[in-house]
């Protein structure tokens, strides 16, 4: 759930589904580049932890 939330918090890169679901609206507020970088880092770290957990569970539950 955290991974989905973090991905949805990212600002859209113009056009597409992100603008359809409110990406264009959030761009009016303008975000700090520090906040965006921290969000990127947090998303990458969460993705890595998620990937490692899936691999570890796969290895542990292997019959």
């Amino acid at each position: 759930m955290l991974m989905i939330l973090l991905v949805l918090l990212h600002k859209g890169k113009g056009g597409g589904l992100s603008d359809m679901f409110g990406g264009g609206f959030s761009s009016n507020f303008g975000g700090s580049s520090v906040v965006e970088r921290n969000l990127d880092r947090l998303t990458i770290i969460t993705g890595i932890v998620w990937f490692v957990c899936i691999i570890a569970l796969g290895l542990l539950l292997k019959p």
Side-chain angles (χ1 to χ4, degrees):
M1 294 298 288
L2 178 63
M3 187 68 182
I4 293 171
L5 178 68
L6 289 173
V7 169
L8 290 176
L9 283 174
H10 283 276
K11 189 188 327 182
K13 300 289 184 199
L17 291 175
S18 62
D19 285 341
M20 184 186 306
F21 294 113
F25 179 72
S26 64
S27 66
N28 291 336
F29 294 112
S32 171
S33 62
V34 174
V35 173
E36 291 173 6
R37 273 188 269 139
N38 286 337
L39 181 61
D40 288 340
R41 290 178 188 146
L42 185 60
T43 304
I44 291 170
I45 290 169
T46 304
I48 291 170
V49 169
W50 181 70
F51 183 74
V52 169
C53 287
I54 288 176
I55 298 298
L57 283 173
L59 293 174
L60 288 173
L61 298 177
K62 189 175 179 181

